[in-house]
Amino acid sequence: MSRHRVVGPSAWILGAAGLVIGVGAAWLVSQGNPGNMGLCIACFNRDITGAFGGAWANMGGVAYLRPEILGLLLGATAASFVTSEFRPRGGSSIPLRFVLGFVFMLSSLIFLGCTVRAWLRLGGGDLNALYGIAGIVAGVMVGVVILKQGFNLGRAKVTSPIVGWIGPAIMAVLLVLAFMVAFGSAPGFVTTTPAGAKATAEGAVVQGDSVLKPPGGTLEDGAVVAEDGTVISPAESVAKAPPMPGGRRAPFAISIVAGVALGVVAQRSRFCSIGGIRDAVLVRRYDLLFGVAGLLVGATVANLLLGQYNLGFVGQPIAHTNALGNFAAMGVAGLSATMLGGCPFRQVIMSGEGDADATVAVLGMFAGALVAHRFVIASTGAGLSDKAWPVMAVMAVVLLVIAFAKRERVA
Amino acid sequence: MFEVDARGLSCPLPVMRTKKALGADPGSLVVLVDSGTAKANVSNMLADEGYSVTVTDEPDYFRIEATRS
């Protein structure tokens, strides 16, 4: 009997899970989700935040209670419950986990996608993602050094069931609101980006033949004209206006069913978008790497078959071409995810399993999204915000300080 | 009997500590974990390292027993 097996059955299970997630994400794009964003934990958590941040947080274009996220988490709850893996636990460095989730979100919104979407972007032919993936590898490598120095956020403890249920309960409430949005009876405090709306460079918003912003504006020969007759956006600008991401969405029923299904797959398989690189470097285990490899293959093949594959750097959906910015942002994201113990996808899944610490990380992501848009730190298709570099520098320092502070001597 | 108490630890610490214990090439090993993720990752590693693995579901944690097969 061989003593050491490099590729065991678990690797193939993870590869298959990644394949399913990659195909599912590509298919969700064909059903209406934003380009190369069939599934993005950062973007979709950001959209959920936008549903409450609305215009105040400059999030009118990225506001939608994404049923995929609600489904993922509740699907994980169901799967963990059935397999007696729903274990209410928490209490490990709660404030720091909030900060790490916050940092992860800010850096993801500078890259324009989380560590899952980086692979999905590459699977759609967006070569800018290569710089992001190089950044993930670099960030995880730094994280591995930190782990080898004895970094440990401390032990979580068994908690009362109520604490474990906070994550699923939040999602259940959001699910009720999402149902109301889908059936056109959402309460006034929930913002939803109009379906298919486009924003012009001048700030006008057009949906089909009607002008949503400025109020009273009309379309004349393709140009947006204000009530007083001044031209807000020339026809050329209207024609070039990209769709607002929050307004690109698959039908509610498809999104929720896909979310639940992928939540079950992720909970059972333990899919993680950064664990593969981490384990390969740290403990020479390659199971989780099969997961992201499967995701890349699945997304690439499905995008090719669906006619959504577009190879190149320029003109990619919801992406910019700042190579160094992409690298640095995903470097920060990769490091923060490594310090959290798993990528944002895993945080959502673990929150569904009763892990209150993971719920805190998700709440940190919501807060990060609010700040990223309110203070215009998030990137746009045009490139980085002028605050992106200073913010990334501060976040890198914060991560290193946390790493140093939570070092524990291992005998 | 080697015992690794990895309860409450975030990834990848349960796997790291189990791997460290494997450095002594024990004939058998017990690892305690309390999340499904740690249970799966540790069990998979032990199986790939040539151990036969049984997992017992205790009220607040999982007990992973591994014996060199």
Side-chain angles (χ1 to χ4, degrees), chain B:
Chain B
M1 171 78 80
F2 278 83
E3 182 172 300
V4 177
D5 183 357
R7 285 177 291 183
L9 295 175
S10 298
C11 282
L13 294 179
V15 167
M16 282 172 78
R17 297 209 174 166
T18 306
K19 173 134 182 146
K20 196 173 172 192
L22 287 178
D25 199 20
S28 64
L29 179 72
V30 171
V31 186
L32 310 181
V33 297
D34 65 356
S35 74
T37 313
K39 179 183 73 173
N41 290 342
V42 169
S43 300
N44 292 339
M45 177 170 75
L46 289 168
D48 287 346
E49 293 299 322
Y51 287 82
S52 54
V53 179
T54 40
V55 179
T56 328
D57 202 345
E58 304 286 348
D60 283 340
Y61 61 95
F62 301 103
R63 181 185 173 87
I64 304 168
E65 290 186 25
T67 317
R68 173 78 69 200
S69 49

Side-chain angles (χ1 to χ4, degrees), chain A residues 261-404:
Chain A
L262 295 180
V264 172
V265 168
Q267 199 279 334
R268 295 316 302 149
S269 68
R270 335 290 176 181
F271 177 86
C272 177
S273 65
I274 60 115
I277 301 159
R278 178 198 65 203
D279 286 0
V281 180
L282 185 64
V283 288
R284 306 263 175 260
R285 296 222 6 108
Y286 305 95
D287 290 30
L288 291 168
L289 208 50
F290 273 66
V292 279
L295 180 131
L296 179 60
V297 170
T300 304
V301 171
N303 279 324
L304 282 166
L305 292 176
L306 291 164
Q308 299 171 164
Y309 193 84
N310 172 26
L311 190 69
F313 286 97
V314 180
Q316 295 291 344
I318 314 160
H320 57 72
T321 54
N322 187 322
L324 202 56
N326 283 331
F327 175 84
M330 277 293 98
V332 173
L335 175 56
S336 60
T338 307
M339 291 169 68
L340 262 177
C343 77
F345 198 155
R346 278 231 64 79
Q347 300 302 319
V348 169
I349 298 300
M350 292 193 298
S351 171
E353 295 173 348
D355 185 335
D357 295 334
T359 304
V360 169
V362 173
L363 295 177
M365 292 178 70
F366 289 152
L370 198 65
V371 168
H373 283 267
R374 179 72 178 97
F375 300 105
V376 198
I377 299 163
S379 300
T380 66
L384 301 194
S385 147
D386 53 8
K387 295 177 191 138
W389 283 108
V391 167
M392 283 195 282
V394 170
M395 291 194 296
V397 171
V398 167
L399 293 183
L400 294 177
V401 168
I402 294 175
F404 190 78

Side-chain angles (χ1 to χ4, degrees), chain A:
Chain A
M1 166 115 199
S2 73
R3 296 258 298 208
H4 176 75
R5 192 167 56 193
V6 176
V7 178
S10 51
W12 296 112
I13 291 170
L14 270 151
L19 204 66
V20 169
I21 296 168
V23 170
W27 179 71
L28 282 167
V29 172
S30 75
Q31 296 302 303
N33 275 5
N36 293 346
M37 202 195 279
L39 190 67
C40 171
I41 308 302
C43 318
F44 286 6
N45 274 335
R46 184 269 321 271
D47 292 350
I48 290 174
T49 311
F52 301 100
W56 175 81
N58 307 315
M59 297 179 90
V62 287
Y64 180 46
L65 292 169
R66 291 279 175 190
E68 288 86 353
I69 296 285
L70 318 180
L72 281 179
L73 196 145
L74 293 171
T77 303
S80 62
F81 213 80
V82 168
T83 54
S84 79
E85 286 186 358
F86 185 89
R87 306 268 162 148
R89 57 190 185 272
S92 155
S93 298
I94 293 168
L96 294 183
R97 287 181 189 272
F98 186 88
V99 172
L100 292 172
F102 185 96
V103 166
F104 184 90
M105 178 60 98
L106 268 182
S107 48
S108 293
L109 293 178
I110 292 170
F111 169 67
L112 292 176
C114 62
T115 46
V116 175
R117 187 176 182 237
W119 296 96
L120 290 174
R121 279 174 57 173
L122 186 59
D126 177 353
L127 296 176
N128 299 297
L130 287 172
Y131 294 106
I133 289 167
I136 297 174
V137 173
V140 171
M141 301 276 259
V142 174
V144 165
V145 171
I146 288 169
L147 283 165
K148 282 188 170 168
Q149 301 278 317
F151 176 75
N152 183 355
L153 285 175
R155 286 183 196 263
K157 298 197 171 51
V158 175
T159 63
S160 86
I162 293 172
V163 177
W165 277 100
I166 291 174
I170 292 172
M171 292 298 149
V173 171
L174 293 178
L175 183 62
V176 171
L177 290 173
F179 261 108
M180 293 168 78
V181 169
F183 293 100
S185 57
F189 61 84
V190 175
T191 305
T192 303
T193 307
K198 301 195 299 180
T200 70
E202 297 77 22
V205 178
V206 179
Q207 183 188 29
D209 290 335
S210 49
V211 174
L212 303 178
K213 191 178 156 190
T218 47
L219 271 180
E220 283 172 32
D221 297 330
V224 175
V225 179
E227 225 167 349
D228 62 5
T230 51
V231 174
I232 306 284
S233 290
E236 190 184 77
S237 168
V238 174
K240 276 198 311 195
M244 296 159 97
R248 300 276 322 254
R249 49 194 187 241
F252 176 78
I254 286 179
S255 294
I256 189 72
V257 170
V260 170
L262 295 180
V264 172
V265 168
Q267 199 279 334
R268 295 316 302 149
S269 68
R270 335 290 176 181
F271 177 86
C272 177
S273 65
I274 60 115
I277 301 159
R278 178 198 65 203
D279 286 0
V281 180
L282 185 64
V283 288
R284 306 263 175 260
R285 296 222 6 108
Y286 305 95
D287 290 30
L288 291 168
L289 208 50
F290 273 66
V292 279
L295 180 131
L296 179 60
V297 170
T300 304
V301 171
N303 279 324
L304 282 166
L305 292 176
L306 291 164
Q308 299 171 164
Y309 193 84
N310 172 26
L311 190 69
F313 286 97
V314 180
Q316 295 291 344
I318 314 160
H320 57 72
T321 54
N322 187 322
L324 202 56
N326 283 331
F327 175 84
M330 277 293 98
V332 173
L335 175 56
S336 60
T338 307
M339 291 169 68
L340 262 177
C343 77
F345 198 155
R346 278 231 64 79
Q347 300 302 319
V348 169
I349 298 300
M350 292 193 298
S351 171
E353 295 173 348
D355 185 335
D357 295 334
T359 304
V360 169
V362 173
L363 295 177
M365 292 178 70
F366 289 152
L370 198 65
V371 168
H373 283 267
R374 179 72 178 97
F375 300 105
V376 198
I377 299 163
S379 300
T380 66
L384 301 194
S385 147
D386 53 8
K387 295 177 191 138
W389 283 108
V391 167
M392 283 195 282
V394 170
M395 291 194 296
V397 171
V398 167
L399 293 183
L400 294 177
V401 168
I402 294 175
F404 190 78
K406 297 302 287 184
R407 208 166 41 147
E408 131 185 317
R409 291 263 167 252
V410 204

